Amino acid sequence: MTEFLWGASTSPHQIEGNNLNSDWWEREQRFPEMFERSGDALDSYHRYREDIGLLADAGLNAYRFGIEWARIEPEEGQFSKAELAHYRRMIDATLERGMTPVVTLHHFTNPRWFADDGGWRDPRAIDRFCRYVEAAATILADVEWVVTVNEPNVYALMSLMDNTMSEEGRAAMADLSVDDLLRAQAAAIPDTELGDILADAHRAAKVILKSATSARVGWTVAGQAFEPTPGNEDEFARVKDAWEDRYLRVSKGDDFVGVQSYTSQKIDSRGVIPHAPHPDNTLTGWAYRPDALGIALRNAWNVTEGTPILITENGIATNDDARRIAYTSEALEHMFAAQVDGLDVRGYLHWSALDNFEWGHWAPTFGLIAVDRTTFERTPKPSLAWLGDIARSGRA
Ligand code: FCB
């Protein structure tokens, strides 16, 4: 039985800085009125040893981070050996500190050339992704946990967000009231066609990784913890399937499924009800629902028919670290209860290690570690030591 993983998660674009060849970088430059810029981010591209050291010193035994396709293949077919070596050094730095690396291959960002060329809908997309996965596999031989695609169900919703890339899409959005926009976003269902493409990409990547590495391979799904309002069970079933279950079914028979959970939302006859303003809402405007983790875990376990679970993200955007501890402590109680009920949960990776770039916004702080974005000085918060103590003792 391998050790339970207690760790923290990050993604490359959110922490590294100067991810110049990615489509997200381009989006930030083109629409500064909509998105803050990632810029230097946290300079973790250079400071990863310090980040890893802080997590290890606190007592955590796992670190989830991603490798950035846009750096490894900045132009089509031009693979950078130096960037692959960089990510191998990150893996080694994690191992040297006695921690288990969990490596993500795709976390929302694409190389610019890939996006400009039609992105995932282009018929060449999966072959292109596979070429990248083959290159990545050369540094992953001894990595035990690999995530192919992060939150395909959220990515598949981004076809709405992709509209921000065209003047036409932005004009259509400008005519909507904030309420309409929230409703439209909530009612939007992840694009099935895009979801199916990502599922094919996951399966193809799995074949490559299984032959080239000894890794456990899975993808991660954003658990929505949807709840029906009375009389709306049919709509609930429809939305839950479209948003979540069709992605979980892809994980049936996989080595693991990554479950990511933050909040819960109710469904009425018009679909997902946007979070109502409430003083307890978090800095992302989400309802404070630490119990969502239990709901997401149980749904993943049922739908995948018993695929082992790795909690790859769970956390809260708050300026109040005591609240982070309270939220996480309650979420962990729900995890322990699920384990008592027989769910096979292999680890808990908190989102996030650091206060990072939250996809166009710097205000929602999810980190166990604060970062001064001028000096890049890291300051661990009490929640890091608190989670580290749980990691050491195995119990909250
Ligand atoms: C998830 C993303 C992660 C972060 C958290 C808050 O959807 O995977 O990058 O943005 O939400």
Side-chain angles (χ1 to χ4, degrees):
M1 190 68 193
T2 48
E3 189 181 32
F4 190 84
L5 301 186
W6 284 105
S9 290
T10 59
S11 89
H13 188 70
Q14 295 178 269
I15 62 168
E16 287 181 341
N18 300 304
N19 189 14
L20 306 178
N21 296 313
S22 85
D23 58 349
W24 254 93
W25 180 271
E26 184 177 348
R27 184 171 292 139
E28 292 153 32
Q29 309 315 308
R30 283 178 61 183
F31 304 117
E33 70 283 11
M34 293 184 77
F35 300 115
E36 288 185 272
R37 289 177 170 155
S38 52
D40 283 327
L42 313 178
D43 193 29
S44 289
Y45 183 82
H46 299 107
R47 292 165 202 261
Y48 63 88
R49 275 182 204 282
E50 189 182 346
D51 298 340
I52 291 164
L54 290 171
L55 302 177
D57 288 346
L60 299 182
N61 65 16
Y63 180 40
R64 173 182 174 217
F65 59 90
I67 66 176
E68 181 60 63
W69 183 5
R71 290 188 196 273
I72 292 174
E73 192 181 1
E75 293 294 341
E76 184 173 12
Q78 295 184 29
F79 287 89
S80 166
K81 290 198 172 54
E83 295 291 357
L84 285 165
H86 165 81
Y87 288 113
R88 183 61 224 184
R89 285 193 293 275
M90 273 187 87
I91 294 166
D92 288 336
T94 309
L95 294 169
E96 278 158 22
R97 290 304 315 262
M99 297 171 75
T100 300
V102 177
V103 177
T104 309
L105 303 185
H106 186 275
H107 196 127
F108 293 168
T109 53
N110 303 298
R112 263 160 116 139
W113 61 262
F114 177 88
D116 291 349
D117 228 6
W120 285 98
R121 288 170 208 277
D122 185 278
R124 293 162 295 184
I126 294 182
D127 286 345
R128 288 170 160 169
F129 183 61
C130 285
R131 253 190 350 227
Y132 156 63
V133 175
E134 273 163 19
T138 61
I139 61 162
L140 298 173
D142 55 348
V143 169
E144 287 175 48
W145 298 85
V146 176
V147 171
T148 55
V149 179
N150 179 72
E151 289 189 350
N153 52 337
V154 170
Y155 191 93
L157 190 72
M158 287 183 187
S159 43
L160 182 77
M161 195 165 71
D162 268 350
N163 279 340
T164 60
M165 294 297 276
S166 73
E167 294 304 326
E168 213 183 6
R170 289 172 71 221
M173 280 168 72
D175 289 339
L176 297 172
S177 69
V178 172
D179 187 55
D180 287 344
L181 200 58
L182 286 173
R183 271 281 172 181
Q185 196 163 358
I189 292 289
D191 182 311
T192 319
E193 196 191 322
L194 190 49
D196 287 347
I197 294 169
L198 295 172
D200 285 345
H202 163 68
R203 291 189 197 97
K206 191 170 108 179
V207 171
I208 295 167
L209 293 161
K210 282 296 194 184
S211 74
T213 76
S214 52
R216 296 181 181 89
V217 180
W219 73 354
T220 70
V221 177
Q224 302 301 310
F226 286 133
E227 292 175 328
T229 48
N232 293 311
E233 284 74 13
D234 288 351
E235 179 64 1
F236 162 74
R238 187 186 73 82
V239 172
K240 187 165 92 71
D241 192 83
W243 248 105
E244 186 172 357
D245 295 357
R246 55 180 294 127
Y247 297 86
L248 290 170
R249 283 195 292 272
V250 173
S251 295
K252 268 191 211 179
D254 276 0
D255 299 322
F256 73 96
V257 56
V259 170
Q260 321 207 142
S261 168
Y262 294 93
T263 189
S264 162
Q265 276 180 283
K266 293 208 188 322
I267 309 285
D268 67 11
S269 60
R270 293 164 64 203
V272 183
I273 307 176
H275 297 286
H278 190 280
D280 285 347
N281 283 2
T282 69
L283 290 177
T284 38
W286 301 341
Y288 182 88
R289 291 291 301 268
D291 61 319
L293 181 60
I295 303 171
L297 287 173
R298 289 169 200 275
N299 190 56
W301 183 250
N302 291 337
V303 176
T304 63
E305 296 172 4
T307 298
I309 295 171
L310 184 62
I311 298 167
T312 35
E313 291 184 21
N314 172 247
I316 175 172
T318 177
N319 289 329
D320 176 356
D321 199 50
R323 209 159 178 247
R324 184 177 340 278
I325 293 175
Y327 174 94
T328 309
S329 167
E330 202 176 323
L332 288 177
E333 288 308 327
H334 291 281
M335 177 187 86
F336 291 132
Q339 288 177 297
V340 168
D341 288 345
L343 274 71
D344 181 4
V345 183
R346 304 289 176 93
Y348 174 87
L349 308 178
H350 190 81
W351 184 273
S352 183
L354 305 139
D355 285 344
N356 62 25
F357 177 70
E358 191 50 44
W359 305 111
H361 307 281
W362 281 102
T365 40
F366 279 92
L368 300 167
I369 301 169
V371 183
D372 179 323
R373 286 182 35 235
T374 312
T375 62
F376 303 110
E377 189 188 344
R378 272 79 170 137
T379 308
K381 303 178 192 176
S383 52
L384 177 62
W386 173 83
L387 191 63
D389 284 346
I390 295 175
R392 287 197 173 95
S393 69
R395 188 69 228 191

